[in-house]
Amino acid sequence: MRIHHVLPLCAAVTAASVLVAGCADGRGDGGRPGAKSASPRSSESSSESSAASSAASPTPSGDDRTWEPDDALRRADRALDAYADDGTDAELVDSGTAYVGSGLEKAFKAPGDRAYRLDITCDTAGVDELTLTLSRDGAEQAYGVGCGDREADQFNIPPGTPFKARVDSVKDGTGLISWRLNSIAPGDVDGCDDDIDGCED
């Protein structure tokens, strides 16, 4: 399981401001898991709505390659597939893609006895990290999600009431967010068992 860093709420707001100010180089919304925008969107609707407009203009990334949505989606899929052979009894519950420029805000049901794991990644041009906020029943935690990493970030959520995942939009950002929600056996939970309430190190 990849280590993810908790961002205090004030730091999350600052990070979002920095992303908006420093990364306005033309990216849509979408990739692997979800980002949040001013207008909440599901992964299905956001991934196709602004593909032509935001991804059509190529933008060089840090390694001087042109960012292309098809290539980015393949890289995001590989990052999400990195845990396929980890021995976890994972069952896919939901998945989707959103453009960074639109962001994502999605509510998930979490019934039953199995734990849930949200795997999320992003592939962008010029944005190194996005802020994911998980919330449920008044509890909220913000985390940094690295973009372009070979392994997706993973977050554990115990069963119970619905929870929300939000990634704020990056205005004029180019890139995608891709995510998968899996249910897993309680014994397969690695690390903190509730990344919404958070765990002390």
Side-chain angles (χ1 to χ4, degrees):
M1 177 174 170
R2 293 199 61 241
I3 297 173
H4 38 261
H5 305 286
V6 179
L7 298 177
L9 292 181
C10 59
V13 172
T14 302
S17 300
V18 169
L19 287 176
V20 169
C23 305
D25 55 16
R27 194 165 199 181
D29 156 10
R32 249 349 207 183
K36 174 184 181 175
S37 69
S39 56
R41 309 178 76 174
S42 70
S43 60
E44 295 78 13
S45 62
S46 61
S47 61
E48 264 123 34
S49 62
S50 43
S53 61
S54 62
S57 56
T59 304
S61 70
D63 60 1
D64 294 331
R65 65 175 164 78
T66 299
W67 189 91
E68 294 289 345
D70 290 343
D71 293 339
L73 189 56
R74 281 191 286 271
R75 287 190 296 270
D77 283 339
R78 284 196 298 268
L80 291 169
D81 289 339
Y83 304 104
D85 298 324
D86 67 356
T88 301
D89 177 25
E91 296 179 4
L92 182 65
V93 174
D94 202 351
S95 65
T97 305
Y99 283 101
V100 169
S102 298
L104 175 123
E105 183 169 356
K106 186 165 178 67
F108 297 95
K109 294 182 179 178
D113 299 323
R114 288 169 63 89
Y116 291 84
R117 190 186 72 205
L118 180 66
D119 298 351
I120 184 168
T121 189
C122 46
D123 192 285
T124 66
V127 180
D128 295 328
E129 186 175 86
L130 297 176
T131 300
L132 167 71
T133 302
L134 298 172
S135 61
R136 171 193 262 169
D137 298 336
E140 184 174 277
Q141 288 287 342
Y143 297 94
V145 173
C147 297
D149 293 341
R150 291 180 180 270
E151 296 179 344
D153 288 289
Q154 296 183 313
F155 301 91
N156 296 316
I157 298 99
T161 58
F163 69 94
K164 291 182 179 179
R166 184 184 81 233
V167 179
D168 293 328
S169 63
V170 177
K171 185 178 180 182
D172 299 324
T174 300
L176 54 78
I177 305 154
S178 216
W179 53 266
R180 292 178 191 165
L181 180 67
N182 296 293
S183 68
I184 58 175
D188 287 336
V189 174
D190 185 21
C192 179
D193 63 355
D194 188 345
D195 282 316
I196 297 176
D197 278 341
C199 299
E200 294 183 8
D201 295 333

